[in-house]
Amino acid sequence: MFFLLIGVILAITLMGLTLGNREKATWPEKFLNDTVSFAHGLVFKPARYIAGFFEDIGHLRNLYQ
């Protein structure tokens, strides 16, 4: 539990130190950003279509009533 608390404090401190505005990102940051963006697109787009489909069904049910 103690190590978890120390880890959270260190992570928050590290985020605070690296939060400042910078001109350019380093190549690991660019790679991570590109990878996360790609994975987000793979998951989010189909989930958005499925959610929209069920929302439309709900609208049709309200229209029928």
Side-chain angles (χ1 to χ4, degrees), residues 4 6 8 14 20 22-23 28 31 33 42 51-52 56 58 61 64:
L4 180 63
I6 295 298
V8 169
L14 183 62
R22 294 180 292 157
E23 293 291 322
F31 176 76
N33 188 21
L42 287 177
D56 290 343
R61 183 179 299 156
Y64 178 74

Side-chain angles (χ1 to χ4, degrees), residues 4-53:
L4 180 63
L5 178 64
I6 295 298
V8 169
I9 291 172
L10 288 174
I12 291 172
T13 303
L14 183 62
M15 285 188 284
L17 292 174
T18 60
L19 188 62
N21 291 334
R22 294 180 292 157
E23 293 291 322
K24 291 186 176 184
T26 62
W27 73 266
E29 292 171 329
K30 290 178 186 177
F31 176 76
L32 186 62
N33 188 21
D34 292 344
T35 305
V36 170
S37 297
F38 178 73
H40 179 263
L42 287 177
V43 173
F44 181 71
K45 287 181 183 179
R48 183 178 50 178
Y49 289 127
I50 292 170
F53 174 74

